[in-house]
Amino acid sequence: MTRFTVLLLAFLVTAVVLAAAPAATAAEVVHFQCKEWKAKHIHDAKKAETIAATLKKLGCEVKQDEHNGHMDVKYRCEKEKQLPVKTHEEAVKWEKWFKEYGFKVYHTH
């Protein structure tokens, strides 16, 4: 091999390794699903709105109903969705949150 070919090959290998590096440390993905309608009874209107907005952003169906001094936030997510996150710690926090709301949830690396 000529000196130029060796340098070119070294450059290409370095470029491929650097391009692949982010994939090796790719974000984790939280998978979640809630086929059946669930409901949370929330007495704080602001908290109810925040939860409803979060569920909507995640792609869930959401219904709200105010009665007897509290808000019912009803929700479901019939098809499995994915939420990419940056760290393992963030994935664990989301898993805990989804479980609290009755979702089937797991995460992948």
Side-chain angles (χ1 to χ4, degrees), residues 8-109:
L8 182 60
L9 184 60
F11 174 78
L12 290 174
V13 169
T14 302
V16 169
V17 169
L18 291 175
T25 60
E28 300 193 17
V29 179
V30 179
H31 305 262
F32 60 95
Q33 182 177 27
C34 183
K35 290 183 179 183
E36 303 298 323
W37 284 101
K38 302 278 185 186
K40 283 286 186 180
H41 306 280
I42 305 168
H43 292 276
D44 180 340
K46 187 173 182 176
K47 182 177 179 181
E49 288 298 326
T50 300
I51 291 168
T54 301
L55 289 164
K56 286 177 186 176
K57 281 183 182 179
L58 292 167
C60 301
E61 294 177 74
V62 179
K63 298 178 183 178
Q64 292 175 261
D65 183 35
E66 187 174 348
H67 63 95
N68 298 331
H70 71 276
M71 179 79 75
D72 286 336
V73 177
K74 298 177 183 177
Y75 53 91
R76 74 175 174 182
C77 188
E78 289 187 288
K79 296 185 183 202
E80 184 176 296
K81 305 271 187 185
Q82 297 179 359
L83 175 65
V85 295
K86 294 180 181 177
T87 66
H88 179 75
E89 292 76 19
E90 189 177 358
V92 170
K93 286 179 184 178
W94 275 107
E95 273 188 300
K96 182 179 175 186
W97 188 87
F98 281 118
K99 286 178 183 176
E100 181 182 327
Y101 284 81
F103 283 78
K104 179 182 98 178
V105 62
Y106 65 96
H107 81 272
T108 56
H109 303 263

